């Protein structure tokens, strides 16, 4: 016996906000800590990969290729990349974005407020201890599905979408 689905069955529609993935850009945006939550809330309805990095962090260089691939592969399906570069030099961040061919908007947060970033992220369910790089995968409702020093896997992103 095999299950057969009636052709007129439709998936239940859940009242969720539509995902608006930001337009590609290589120009970083300098923000204050207070702006971080609002920018993250702007991605409500998207599956979000959060990436926290810095230009002076050697370990932050290698994951960019994996993150870029995820972003390019799943952007049409509602995956948004939320990059936070902890740096005091927006031009250095712009150079990294160009070099690594990352076209998702990067928010530049001053290193002076880095210690306040953890509590800000905790409001969104993330636990960041200051380690860079840091990655989190957030579901459409904002639940944390992955958190740590490695990017989420392709399989984790597919399940979240």
């Amino acid at each position: 016996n095999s299950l057969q689905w009636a052709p007129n069955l439709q998936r239940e529609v859940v009242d969720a906000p539509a995902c608006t993935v930001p337009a590609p850009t290589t120009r970083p945006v300098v923000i204050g800590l207070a702006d971080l939550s609002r920018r993250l809330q702007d991605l409500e309805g998207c599956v979000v990969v959060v990436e926290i990095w810095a230009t002076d962090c050697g370990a932050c260089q290698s994951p960019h290729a994996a993150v870029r691939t995820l972003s390019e592969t799943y952007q049409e399906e509602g995956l948004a990349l939320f990059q936070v570069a902890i740096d005091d030099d927006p031009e250095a961040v712009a150079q990294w974005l160009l070099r690594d061919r990352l076209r998702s908007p990067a928010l530049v947060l001053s290193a002076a407020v880095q210690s306040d970033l953890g509590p800000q992220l905790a409001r969104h369910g993330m636990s960041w201890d200051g380690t860079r790089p840091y990655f989190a995968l957030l579901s459409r409702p904002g639940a944390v599905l992955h958190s740590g020093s490695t990017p989420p896997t392709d399989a984790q992103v597919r399940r979240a979408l």
Side-chain angles (χ1 to χ4, degrees):
N1 290 335
S2 63
L3 292 175
Q4 294 183 352
W5 293 96
N8 61 349
L9 282 181
Q10 296 180 354
R11 292 175 68 184
E12 181 180 334
V13 177
V14 178
D15 288 336
C19 172
T20 304
V21 176
T25 182
T26 55
R27 298 303 315 159
V29 177
V30 178
I31 64 165
L33 195 59
D35 199 29
L36 188 77
S37 283
R38 184 187 61 76
R39 297 258 182 180
L40 195 52
Q41 288 170 345
D42 287 347
L43 298 174
E44 187 177 4
C46 298
V47 172
V48 180
V49 173
V50 174
E51 179 183 17
I52 299 174
W53 56 281
T55 58
D56 65 353
C57 167
C60 295
Q61 293 179 29
S62 58
H64 281 314
V67 170
R68 183 183 68 242
T69 300
L70 289 173
S71 177
E72 291 170 353
T73 303
Y74 296 110
Q75 182 176 353
E76 295 291 321
E77 295 178 47
L79 179 69
L81 179 57
F82 186 81
Q83 295 185 76
V84 178
I86 299 171
D87 209 299
D88 290 318
D89 184 0
E91 286 306 312
V93 173
Q95 289 303 312
W96 266 52
L97 295 174
L98 288 171
R99 187 196 69 215
D100 292 338
R101 297 185 316 251
L102 287 167
R103 298 195 31 83
S104 299
L107 305 175
V108 180
L109 189 64
S110 171
V113 297
Q114 176 178 337
S115 62
D116 297 324
L117 182 56
Q120 191 78 357
L121 293 172
R123 294 180 184 156
H124 299 279
M126 292 175 265
S127 58
W128 182 63
D129 63 1
T131 304
R132 293 172 294 183
Y134 170 81
F135 298 91
L137 177 64
L138 308 179
S139 68
R140 291 183 196 276
V144 178
L145 304 174
H146 167 84
S147 178
S149 62
T150 59
T153 65
D154 186 82
Q156 289 171 314
V157 170
R158 278 196 319 259
R159 279 193 304 272
L161 291 167

